[in-house]
Amino acid sequence: MAARNKIPHIVVGIDFGMTCTGVAYSYGPEWPSPITLQHWPGKLINELANKVPTLVSYTPGTAHVKCWGFLSEAEVDFADHRELFKLDLDPSFNAENPERAIVEDARQWFQDYMRCIHDHLAETFSNNFPKWRSQSVEFIFSVPTTWRSPSLIIEIKTLLAGAGFGKDGTNHSLDISLTEAEAAAVYASKQQYQKGDVILVCDAGGGTTDVNILRLDSIPGEAAMLEQLSFVEGQSIGSTQIDIGFHDIVVDRLSKIQGYLQGEPKDIAEKMLDKRFENFKCSYGSPAASANPDRYFEVPGLLPGVYTFPELEIEGSKMRFTSDELKTLFDVQVERMFKLIETQLDRLQHKQPTATVTYLVMSGGLGSSPYIRSRLKLRYMTDMATVRPNTRGMQVVLVPEPQLVVVQGLVINRIQEVRYGQEVIKMRCCRASYGTICQKKWDTKIHIGEQVREDPFTRTKYATEQIDWLIKQGDPIKGNSVKRPYHMYFQPKEQTKRWKARMVISDLPYEQLPTSMKWDGADDLCSLEAELVEREMKLKNRHWYQVGPRYLRADFFVNIVIGVAELKFQLLDKDGLKRGENQDTIEVEWGPPRNSDAATDDMDRAMYSKV
């Protein structure tokens, strides 16, 4: 995110989480350390909570919001509850998990919930800050590292605006400023690390686990500076997966005695995921929890103390979970976490063989689990540790407020930007590979098996549907943008001279990237279109001694501005500069071309690579 010119009066960070949502803020000119909002509807005035449940409830059978957050916990049997829908906002996750909620439904629940958050914040800040509506207020959000699609980020911003953010005053605004992994890294940078320390930040929360390797390039007491050594990465590893595993076991057991139950197995299993299970999950692995290896949980659908089914581990209407069963629930997530962490370590080893990770910094709700940390220490810090050249001497540490790292990191980053004119992360690595489809001069050694055409103006042979990768996954983003020269040909008498391009994206390792659309691995990202003006073109074959038809050649640069979570596109002139007033508008259509034949319809108006 580029530095903003306007200095805000108030900065409000919001971390929308899978199970809970947090809010923190700061204000000028003092800019104190982030203040966590702790008063929420449904709590007494003397009851404080750092986060509010990500839960919205509707009047049964309607789309009318009845309550939200802590208020919904008192309406268990009197409303339709919607929770754990964060990952469902991403169509790619939904496609891989068809049993999950429909994307459109999840987005409606998200907007309704965020409207409740907004209304509470507007009331709270209106009471605490004079002239709230007229002051310059920035609402800044984070997004999961797993959300790579720029079109999804645009949709999320649209939903947030529809919920009221940035709409309360002419100087109010909203922005998505960091990924969750980056916000966690910003928070970690404020701890007592030394210049040159390499830290691997692992933020394991309710829905996702994000990892990021960075080097600290500042000393304590000065503006923090971090350099990414690898691109941020995330997967759907989280505490809710443990809940789902527990839920599935309970449903399987109860379905065998459904005739004895007062309710459906699914509904009873959801009730068993109560505060007691949550407390057990958070303490699992601690010395106190280890003293009682087997756990008993009340079955709400059975009369208390009446029923015993030994084959189903039910005794006195309580369901027993053995230590091995509980351990397995955690270990599934732990093993996936190991793999994610070690993928980053292997990537670092390949890219910077001499770099050594000083600290593995854990954050997030799952990251604060005693069991998770004990497994990590066993793997990386003991005599039984997995030996890796870049983890020798690495320590596993936990941040002071593990569940607040993202929301506070958001605010810390913006405070530093306001105070010192620079964000905490000074150098980022690109999270995906971005390319454009063009035609390249045919080379018999390179373009084997590719479709070839002869350009009607120059009579030169070109390989079609080639991919020119402007930036590859893991490349450092210098200056937040990357540009590449291209050219096109036109008939001199053409009334409309339009530039059209298709952008593609890939998550494959750079050495596996396809060279053309003939091969798998690149997905359509968007289609671009803009108008060219004739004064930007050069007439070719205009002299009497030149052979061939006259034509116009347009030379230009395609520039991609790469933000934290968004992409912007620019069409620059032949010198790589802005084309002038009212000439930088580009029409963007996200996703595959609507016309399946779009790739061949404009073959005579192809964009040619100069390389």
Side-chain angles (χ1 to χ4, degrees):
M1 182 181 64
R4 288 158 281 202
N5 295 324
K6 195 167 186 177
I7 302 299
H9 297 115
I10 304 169
V11 172
V12 183
I14 301 173
D15 170 28
F16 168 70
M18 184 77 158
T19 57
C20 292
T21 294
V23 177
Y25 65 95
S26 187
Y27 51 85
E30 298 88 355
W31 296 112
S33 297
I35 303 164
T36 302
L37 193 69
Q38 296 179 306
H39 293 285
W40 299 100
K43 288 290 185 181
L44 298 175
I45 191 66
N46 61 339
E47 289 185 295
L48 304 179
N50 286 333
K51 287 190 171 184
V52 62
T54 303
L55 173 62
V56 61
S57 303
Y58 296 86
T59 302
T62 74
H64 176 261
V65 176
K66 185 176 183 181
C67 51
W68 66 284
F70 291 110
L71 292 171
S72 291
E73 294 181 346
E75 296 285 336
V76 175
D77 298 316
F78 307 101
D80 293 336
H81 303 292
R82 299 292 179 261
E83 58 184 337
L84 306 179
F85 51 82
K86 179 179 179 178
L87 299 181
D88 300 313
L89 297 168
D90 182 3
S92 64
F93 177 82
N94 191 271
E96 295 172 3
N97 300 271
E99 76 283 356
R100 300 284 301 188
I102 299 172
V103 172
E104 289 73 16
D105 290 342
R107 291 181 176 180
Q108 185 61 59
W109 304 335
F110 171 74
Q111 188 173 61
D112 288 343
Y113 176 77
M114 294 310 296
R115 185 179 293 110
C116 295
I117 291 283
H118 164 267
D119 293 349
H120 176 62
L121 296 184
E123 180 181 3
T124 299
F125 289 123
S126 294
N127 293 332
N128 294 345
F129 290 94
K131 301 181 180 179
W132 158 257
R133 293 184 180 276
S134 62
Q135 295 200 62
S136 176
V137 180
E138 292 180 0
F139 292 97
I140 50 178
F141 296 81
S142 61
V143 290
T145 306
T146 54
W147 291 2
R148 295 182 181 270
S149 168
S151 60
L152 172 59
I153 305 305
I154 291 172
E155 178 63 25
I156 293 298
K157 289 184 72 171
T158 300
L159 293 171
L160 289 170
F165 291 99
K167 302 291 187 180
D168 293 320
T170 56
N171 294 319
H172 288 210
S173 63
L174 77 89
D175 192 20
I176 293 175
S177 62
L178 296 172
T179 63
E180 291 170 358
E182 290 169 333
V186 168
Y187 179 93
S189 72
K190 293 298 184 179
Q191 310 310 310
Q192 296 302 309
Y193 303 120
Q194 301 300 312
K195 184 175 182 178
D197 282 345
V198 175
I199 59 175
L200 194 163
V201 180
C202 179
D203 182 43
T208 59
T209 293
D210 302 321
V211 292
N212 196 193
I213 299 180
L214 311 98
R215 179 187 288 117
L216 187 64
D217 285 344
S218 56
I219 61 175
E222 67 179 19
M225 288 190 297
L226 291 172
E227 176 189 358
Q228 285 186 349
L229 302 184
S230 182
F231 60 90
V232 295
E233 191 173 10
Q235 290 184 11
S236 55
I237 304 167
S239 61
T240 56
Q241 303 297 325
I242 297 173
D243 295 347
I244 291 170
F246 178 84
H247 180 277
D248 290 346
I249 293 173
V250 172
V251 170
D252 179 64
R253 291 179 182 179
L254 295 184
S255 63
K256 297 177 173 63
I257 55 168
Q258 192 158 356
Y260 295 88
L261 301 176
Q262 299 175 359
E264 292 296 320
K266 180 181 177 182
D267 297 333
I268 295 170
E270 289 177 358
K271 290 180 180 179
M272 291 176 67
L273 289 166
D274 57 7
K275 292 291 184 184
R276 187 168 179 269
F277 179 77
E278 184 68 22
N279 291 337
F280 150 75
K281 189 171 59 173
C282 294
S283 64
Y284 183 71
S286 67
S290 301
N292 299 297
D294 293 351
R295 290 283 177 147
Y296 290 84
F297 297 92
E298 294 278 359
V299 180
L302 293 174
L303 292 174
V306 174
Y307 294 103
T308 295
F309 302 96
E311 71 280 10
L312 301 178
E313 300 289 350
I314 295 175
E315 181 181 341
S317 299
K318 292 182 180 181
M319 187 175 292
R320 173 177 173 263
F321 277 76
T322 67
S323 58
D324 287 341
E325 288 173 324
L326 295 170
K327 184 175 181 294
T328 299
L329 292 176
F330 278 81
D331 283 348
V332 171
Q333 302 306 306
V334 171
E335 292 299 326
R336 295 182 64 207
M337 192 180 295
F338 286 159
K339 185 176 180 180
L340 180 61
I341 289 171
E342 288 163 14
T343 297
Q344 283 271 319
L345 291 171
D346 291 344
R347 193 175 291 123
L348 176 67
Q349 180 69 29
H350 177 77
K351 188 176 180 181
Q352 298 195 27
T354 60
T356 301
V357 179
T358 319
Y359 298 99
L360 171 55
V361 183
M362 299 302 297
S363 64
L366 184 60
S368 63
S369 160
Y371 180 73
I372 298 291
R373 284 184 287 124
S374 68
R375 287 293 310 274
L376 289 168
K377 289 179 178 180
L378 182 65
R379 192 170 184 89
Y380 300 117
M381 288 181 58
T382 68
D383 293 338
M384 299 172 60
T386 300
V387 178
R388 289 175 177 271
N390 55 11
T391 60
R392 290 193 178 96
M394 183 178 74
Q395 297 182 49
V396 178
V397 297
L398 179 68
V399 295
E401 295 285 352
Q403 297 197 27
L404 297 178
V405 294
V406 172
V407 69
Q408 294 214 1
L410 283 169
V411 180
I412 290 170
N413 184 68
R414 185 58 178 134
I415 290 174
Q416 175 165 308
E417 191 180 14
V418 170
R419 281 180 167 173
Y420 302 105
Q422 65 181 40
E423 294 184 86
V424 174
I425 301 177
K426 68 172 186 177
M427 179 66 78
R428 289 185 170 86
C429 295
C430 197
R431 294 199 292 153
S433 296
Y434 299 105
T436 184
I437 298 176
C438 63
Q439 300 195 16
K440 294 185 178 182
K441 190 171 290 187
W442 183 48
D443 187 319
T444 55
K445 297 179 181 179
I446 298 175
H447 301 122
I448 300 172
E450 299 285 356
Q451 182 179 349
V452 180
R453 68 178 286 271
E454 183 180 274
D455 180 78
F457 297 109
T458 65
R459 301 303 178 189
T460 303
K461 289 184 177 181
Y462 288 91
T464 65
E465 291 283 280
Q466 300 299 294
I467 303 175
D468 189 19
W469 294 106
L470 281 74
I471 190 168
K472 297 179 181 179
Q473 187 181 67
D475 286 349
I477 305 170
K478 300 177 181 178
N480 293 330
S481 67
V482 59
K483 62 185 179 182
R484 194 71 59 84
Y486 299 94
H487 61 272
M488 294 178 67
Y489 303 132
F490 294 93
Q491 292 280 3
K493 295 182 180 180
E494 284 187 76
Q495 295 294 319
T496 303
K497 298 174 177 64
R498 303 285 290 178
W499 164 73
K500 296 182 180 181
R502 287 165 59 201
M503 304 299 300
V504 293
I505 183 174
S506 179
D507 287 328
L508 289 176
Y510 67 91
E511 67 274 7
Q512 297 178 21
L513 290 173
T515 57
S516 77
M517 293 302 286
K518 178 180 178 180
W519 313 106
D520 294 334
D523 297 318
D524 278 293
L525 178 65
C526 64
S527 299
L528 308 177
E529 190 168 347
E531 188 166 345
L532 298 171
V533 293
E534 194 163 324
R535 63 180 175 78
E536 298 177 299
M537 305 180 188
K538 188 173 183 179
L539 182 63
K540 295 291 186 176
N541 291 339
R542 64 182 185 276
H543 300 294
W544 64 268
Y545 54 81
Q546 291 176 316
V547 179
R550 292 188 175 188
Y551 63 92
L552 292 170
R553 171 169 168 149
D555 287 88
F556 50 86
F557 280 79
V558 174
N559 189 50
I560 304 180
V561 181
I562 305 172
V564 171
E566 294 181 280
L567 292 181
K568 294 181 181 179
F569 304 95
Q570 295 175 327
L571 189 64
L572 307 178
D573 67 16
K574 62 183 178 61
D575 298 315
L577 304 174
K578 288 190 175 182
R579 302 167 60 219
E581 297 264 343
N582 303 320
Q583 291 183 25
D584 56 358
T585 302
I586 292 181
E587 299 172 19
V588 182
E589 179 183 318
W590 296 100
R594 294 181 183 177
N595 180 0
S596 60
D597 297 324
T600 56
D601 284 349
D602 294 306
M603 190 66 77
D604 290 338
R605 293 189 179 182
M607 186 170 75
Y608 298 97
S609 168
K610 288 192 175 183
V611 180

